[in-house]
Amino acid sequence: RMAKQRRIPTKIILPFDYVVTVQQVPPQSEALLAEGGYSDGIWDPLSRIISVNNKLPAKRKRYIVIHEMQHALVDLLHDLADRGIVSP
């Protein structure tokens, strides 16, 4: 029996119209450049984009997207607290 293929999302919509874009980029892409070298995945809070290395296996990409979404959620909560919508 074949395992069900799961796609990597290109867009994730959170509450309060907080839209996160996911892009798969080459391993040496500037989007993956972090302090100390290249990363497998990065969250950019200014553009709300998660960049993930397109050469990784799908399972690893999913793990990275989930990890980076944790950063996005923290930023969303900080944004809501700054706007007085939620209390810290």
Side-chain angles (χ1 to χ4, degrees), residues 15 32 41 49 54 76:
L32 294 175
I49 294 175
N54 68 354
L76 170 59

Side-chain angles (χ1 to χ4, degrees), residues 6-59:
R6 292 186 177 93
R7 293 185 41 226
I8 304 300
T10 56
K11 187 177 285 190
I12 301 166
I13 302 172
L14 299 174
F16 302 95
D17 294 322
Y18 198 88
V19 178
V20 174
T21 302
V22 179
Q23 64 180 8
Q24 296 186 53
V25 296
Q28 301 297 311
S29 169
E30 188 174 314
L32 294 175
L33 190 56
E35 284 185 37
Y38 291 94
S39 178
D40 285 339
I42 290 184
W43 161 244
D44 180 353
L46 297 178
S47 63
R48 296 183 182 171
I49 294 175
I50 293 172
S51 299
V52 63
N53 179 338
N54 68 354
K55 299 298 183 190
L56 296 173
K59 187 174 184 177

